[in-house]
Amino acid sequence: MNSTALIFGWPRPIVARCLPIGLYFLFLAISPYLATWLQLTPYQTSWLYGIKVGSVLIALAWFSRDYRELRTPGSLTWAQWLLGITVGLLVFVVWIHLDQGWMLMGEMKGYRPVDATGQLDIWLIATRWLGAALIVPVMEELFWRSFLMRWLSQEAFLESPPQRPDGRAFWITAVLFGLEHQQWLAGIIAGVAYGWLYRQTGRISVPIVAHAVTNGVLGVWVVSTGQWQFW
């Protein structure tokens, strides 16, 4: 990988970590307009989520060779797996309890994956769950922790060890990560937890595991309890 190569006038390492999440938010912003322009039914509109996470997956696959932090020699230890899973479960518990009005940005409406007849659609549920549990954690941790937290501390972020980012970089990243979510307070706590994991272990895979556990368990809980507002 040539770290000095430019894409759209930006260094390739930055684009590789920003483009996937950029695509995600682009689709999030234009989906309502696409639905209106294409005159999609509510059921057809639901499939735009699959297109959104599919585009992110393609971008992650395209830049896969650039994510050298994911190719750190040696697999995670059992202790690191356990730590990531435990923190992920704790964040899930926090997430479903911090939903009072002042802890939110706007009203929680959520997403109920139903087909054209109003019945739950297993394929929409599977698409939503797989995207949230397997794709979004990789996309977000590569951007928020691996890139932004290190870049705020040192412009040559690839040369910055995970343990180096200072308190300013840590908290700015955690707060911005929280404000990305409607449940801003729960989001900030999650950002602190995932950032702490990265600094503590030096492995981006550990917060990815934690993030995947949080989102995966949340999805199972939402479907089993019908608390669709959390989706």
Side-chain angles (χ1 to χ4, degrees), residues 32-82:
Y33 302 101
L34 283 176
T36 301
W37 180 50
L38 298 174
Q39 297 183 330
L40 302 179
T41 66
Y43 177 60
Q44 292 171 325
T45 301
S46 298
W47 283 107
L48 290 177
Y49 180 83
I51 297 174
K52 177 170 61 179
V53 295
S55 67
V56 171
L57 180 60
I58 291 172
L60 289 172
W62 181 266
F63 289 108
S64 59
R65 293 185 178 181
D66 294 80
Y67 306 134
R68 69 189 195 190
E69 60 270 52
L70 294 177
R71 301 195 303 274
T72 304
S75 58
L76 296 183
T77 66
W78 282 108
Q80 289 172 333
W81 275 104
L82 181 59

Side-chain angles (χ1 to χ4, degrees), residues 46-47 49 109-114 124 128 222 228-229 231:
S46 298
W47 283 107
Y49 180 83
K109 297 180 180 180
Y111 167 72
R112 190 169 184 267
V114 296
L124 286 177
R128 181 79 176 194
V222 165
W228 304 107
Q229 71 273 19
W231 249 13

Side-chain angles (χ1 to χ4, degrees), residues 4-226:
T4 63
L6 299 180
I7 301 178
F8 310 128
W10 291 86
R12 182 184 176 95
I14 294 179
V15 175
R17 290 158 182 80
C18 294
L19 183 61
I21 197 170
L23 288 172
Y24 186 89
F25 282 110
L26 175 63
F27 273 99
L28 190 65
I30 68 175
S31 289
Y33 302 101
L34 283 176
T36 301
W37 180 50
L38 298 174
Q39 297 183 330
L40 302 179
T41 66
Y43 177 60
Q44 292 171 325
T45 301
S46 298
W47 283 107
L48 290 177
Y49 180 83
I51 297 174
K52 177 170 61 179
V53 295
S55 67
V56 171
L57 180 60
I58 291 172
L60 289 172
W62 181 266
F63 289 108
S64 59
R65 293 185 178 181
D66 294 80
Y67 306 134
R68 69 189 195 190
E69 60 270 52
L70 294 177
R71 301 195 303 274
T72 304
S75 58
L76 296 183
T77 66
W78 282 108
Q80 289 172 333
W81 275 104
L82 181 59
L83 182 61
I85 292 170
T86 301
V87 171
L89 290 173
L90 289 174
V91 172
F92 159 72
V93 173
V94 168
W95 200 274
I96 64 175
H97 285 93
L98 297 184
D99 61 338
Q100 287 73 43
W102 68 272
M103 303 174 183
L104 308 174
M105 290 190 290
E107 181 184 357
M108 290 180 67
K109 297 180 180 180
Y111 167 72
R112 190 169 184 267
V114 296
D115 60 22
T117 66
Q119 301 298 311
L120 291 179
D121 188 308
I122 186 63
W123 295 109
L124 286 177
I125 290 174
T127 301
R128 181 79 176 194
W129 188 87
L130 289 171
L134 301 182
I135 299 174
V136 168
V138 178
M139 169 195 80
E140 290 199 315
E141 293 309 313
L142 283 173
F143 173 74
W144 291 108
R145 253 62 66 178
S146 184
F147 165 61
L148 187 62
M149 190 170 77
R150 291 194 292 168
W151 180 78
L152 287 172
S153 185
Q154 177 179 327
E155 186 174 351
F157 71 96
L158 289 177
E159 310 307 322
S160 177
Q163 295 85 354
R164 178 177 294 174
D166 54 31
R168 180 185 65 91
F170 179 89
W171 284 104
I172 288 176
T173 302
V175 170
L176 290 178
F177 177 78
L179 296 179
E180 174 197 14
H181 299 83
Q182 188 177 23
Q183 292 175 256
W184 62 268
L185 181 57
I188 291 174
I189 293 174
V192 170
Y194 301 150
W196 175 82
L197 281 175
Y198 189 37
R199 293 181 68 179
Q200 188 73 16
T201 65
R203 304 287 296 275
I204 194 62
S205 300
V206 180
I208 288 176
V209 167
H211 202 151
V213 168
T214 301
N215 288 6
V217 174
L218 179 64
V220 172
W221 180 80
V222 165
V223 174
S224 61
T225 62

